[in-house]
Amino acid sequence: MSELGLYRTMLVSRALDDECMDMLARGLPVPHFHSGAGQEALSVGGAAGLRDSDVVIYSHRGYAQLLAKGVPLEVIARDMFYKAGGSNAARGGVMHVSAPEIGVPGREGVFGARFGMAAGFGLAQRLRDTDDVTVCFYGEAAGARGPLYEALNMAVLWDLPVVLIAENNGWSVNSRTEWLYPNARMSAVWRGFDIPVTVVDGNDLGEVRAAVGEAVRRARAGEGPSVVEGLTYRLHPHIWWDDAAYVPAEELAEAQERDPLTLTRAALVAAGTAPEQLDALEAEVAEEVRAVLAEVLAGPDAQWDVEPRIVGVAGV
Ligand SMILES: Cc1ncc(C[n+]2csc(CCOP(=O)(O)OP(=O)(O)O)c2C)c(N)n1
C-alpha cells in the first residue's frame, strides 16, 4: 500500500473513532468501544502490507489494525452496533471481529490468551511449510500475564514466525506503564530471552514500518520471533465510563502535539504531497465514514438465531 493509502487507513480509523466519541458525548450507546485515537500509526504500520494468509491478532483498540488487514469498515461498524451483516451476529460485538478468510481469527476476551493463539498459528504456519507469519498486537495488561512466557518458550524453541507488537500507550485503564514494567518499557521483560527487540516511536509511521518490516522478514525467513515495542499514547479515556481525571493535562497536551495523524500528514507534505490533496482526502474520508455509519445504524439488528460461521483461518 502507498504512503497515501496508509494515511487514508489511519484517517478512516480516526473518523470512526470521532463518530463514536461524538455519539457517546450525545448520550448514545457505543457498546464496548475503546478509542484507538493516537495509536493509528502503530496499528496501520504493524498490520498493513501482509498477505491474506498471514494472521493478525488485533487488540481491543485496533480498528486500524483490522482496516489495514482488509476488514471492511462496514463489518467493524455492524459488529460494533450489533447489526446484521457483521462477523459475529452480536455474539461478541466489536471486541470479537473475525475475518478468517483474510487472516483475522478474532481475539480472546481474557487478556493473555492471545500469546498462545499466536504461537499456535505460528506453529501451524511452520508445520504447513509456508512462509506466512503471525502478527500479534498486545497492550500492557496482556503482556504482564503469565501466558506470554509459555508461548514465548515455544516460539523461541521452534523459531516460530511470530511478530509481537507491544502497544506502550502510557496507560492500562488508570495504571501507568511504569507501575507494570521496569523503566516503563514493556520490552524490558524480554531481557535474557533470545529474541530481537526494537523500541520505536509508535507515532512515526516510517519507523514502525521499518521495524515491523524487518521482524516480518526474519519470521518469513525462518529466523524466529521478534518484538517491536511502539511508544505511543492513548489520547482518549479507557472506555465510556472513564473520565480519565487521572491523566495530567500537560501530559495529554504534549501527546496531542505528537498525534500520529499530524506527524504522518507532515511527512507526506515534506515528501511532496500537496496539502490541498490531503485536505480533500481528509474531507472525503470523514464524509464516507459518516455515510457508512448512518447506513449501518439504520440497518437491521443481528439475529441471535443465525448460526455462527465456523471457518478455517486462511492458510492455517
Ligand atoms: C485477564 C483480564 N483481566 C481484565 C480484563 C478487562 N480489561 C479489558 S481492557 C483492560 C485494560 C487493558 O489495558 P492495556 O493492556 O494496557 O491496553 P490499553 O487499554 O492501554 O490499550 C482490562 C483490564 C480482561 N479483558 N482480561
Side-chain angles (χ1 to χ4, degrees), residues 34 60-61 109-111 139-142 145 169 171-173 238:
H34 295 81
H60 58 288
R61 307 182 185 281
V110 177
F111 286 173
E140 286 92 336
R145 298 203 59 236
N169 68 1
W171 296 98
S172 187
V173 190
H238 173 64

Side-chain angles (χ1 to χ4, degrees), residues 249-269:
E250 7 13 296
E251 185 176 306
L252 181 61
E254 244 173 64
Q256 283 164 339
E257 296 268 301
R258 301 208 70 259
D259 186 323
L261 266 72
T262 315
L263 301 188
T264 306
R265 184 188 156 104
L268 283 164
V269 171

Side-chain angles (χ1 to χ4, degrees), residues 192-273:
F193 285 98
D194 182 18
I195 181 167
V197 170
T198 313
V199 182
V200 296
D201 177 350
N203 292 351
D204 183 323
L205 184 62
E207 258 192 50
V208 174
R209 289 188 73 209
V212 175
E214 170 56 14
V216 167
R217 184 205 63 72
R218 285 190 79 246
R220 289 206 200 288
E223 293 170 25
S226 312
V227 180
V228 176
E229 177 177 14
L231 307 180
T232 181
Y233 203 85
R234 192 193 75 198
L235 290 178
H236 289 310
H238 173 64
I239 198 170
W240 61 270
W241 46 256
D242 178 21
D243 63 5
Y246 50 85
V247 175
E250 7 13 296
E251 185 176 306
L252 181 61
E254 244 173 64
Q256 283 164 339
E257 296 268 301
R258 301 208 70 259
D259 186 323
L261 266 72
T262 315
L263 301 188
T264 306
R265 184 188 156 104
L268 283 164
V269 171
T273 311

Side-chain angles (χ1 to χ4, degrees), residues 42 45-47 135-139 163-167 212 226-230:
L42 186 57
V135 173
C136 175
F137 290 86
Y138 71 101
V163 175
L164 292 153
I165 302 188
E167 302 174 306
V212 175
S226 312
V227 180
V228 176
E229 177 177 14

